[in-house]
Amino acid sequence: MRDLLEKALNKGLSVSFSNENGFSVIRICKGSEVVASCSLGSGDFRTSVEDSLQSLMMDLDRKGI
């Protein structure tokens, strides 16, 4: 997961993790704008976070962000 976070930071993005209404939420921002986000279901938190973060980063790469 560290390499995914470094990749985001190197692109000038910030990543935040929060817990909202019992669900874990990942947000990727460029400045103050949220460019990608997702909420995670139950299960292994570490695996879910890594898989979801990887998916978000791939989507942003395809969008050219």
Side-chain angles (χ1 to χ4, degrees), residues 22-24 40-49:
F23 293 96
S24 299
L40 308 173
S42 59
D44 181 26
F45 180 77
R46 181 183 172 111
T47 300
S48 296
V49 167

Side-chain angles (χ1 to χ4, degrees), residues 4-61:
L4 293 170
L5 293 172
E6 286 179 3
K7 181 178 180 180
L9 294 175
N10 288 336
K11 290 182 169 218
L13 303 170
S14 62
V15 180
S16 66
F17 302 91
S18 62
N19 191 331
E20 299 174 17
N21 298 322
F23 293 96
S24 299
V25 177
I26 302 172
R27 285 192 180 84
I28 300 177
C29 299
K30 188 170 191 173
S32 61
E33 177 187 359
V34 176
V35 293
S37 67
C38 70
S39 61
L40 308 173
S42 59
D44 181 26
F45 180 77
R46 181 183 172 111
T47 300
S48 296
V49 167
E50 288 186 54
D51 291 346
S52 298
L53 188 54
Q54 177 68 37
S55 178
L56 290 173
M57 291 303 297
M58 287 179 8
D59 285 345
L60 292 174
D61 283 341

